[in-house]
Amino acid sequence: MMWQLGWTTLPGLRGLSCSEFRATPTSAPDNERGVAIEFENEAQRDSFLKQLGEHFGPRRFTNAADAFDSVKAYVLEYAAKR
């Protein structure tokens, strides 16, 4: 099943942070404003969302474009390795 990933980018004292990663089922992926990825089951999806939170939780970004591009690149790299 294809899932559209989303997340929240919030300002903080040390820069922008990404959190609240979520996945919404989709039949029309939108890779311009987000990133879509296919998972075999909900357990795999949930595990990956947790992985995103652990990886990006401590990171800070100087601007929203950098945050977006970093998350998108991470997801695409993960998908390519599978």
Side-chain angles (χ1 to χ4, degrees):
M1 176 173 237
M2 186 66 70
W3 297 85
Q4 185 75 36
L5 299 183
W7 56 91
T8 302
T9 304
L10 296 171
L13 295 175
R14 296 178 291 134
L16 298 173
S17 66
C18 295
S19 61
E20 300 177 24
F21 291 92
R22 57 198 172 276
T24 306
T26 186
S27 59
D30 180 359
N31 288 316
E32 291 297 317
R33 293 183 294 190
V35 62
I37 185 171
E38 193 167 334
F39 294 109
E40 294 178 19
N41 53 53
E42 291 181 5
Q44 186 183 41
R45 176 206 62 200
D46 294 344
S47 175
F48 185 64
L49 291 175
K50 182 179 178 190
Q51 182 180 335
L52 285 172
E54 291 171 353
H55 182 79
F56 287 102
R59 292 192 59 190
R60 296 298 176 261
F61 301 92
T62 56
N63 61 62
D66 184 30
F68 177 83
D69 290 342
S70 295
V71 174
K72 187 173 181 178
Y74 185 90
V75 172
L76 294 175
E77 184 178 323
Y78 171 85
K81 289 181 180 178
R82 300 185 316 154

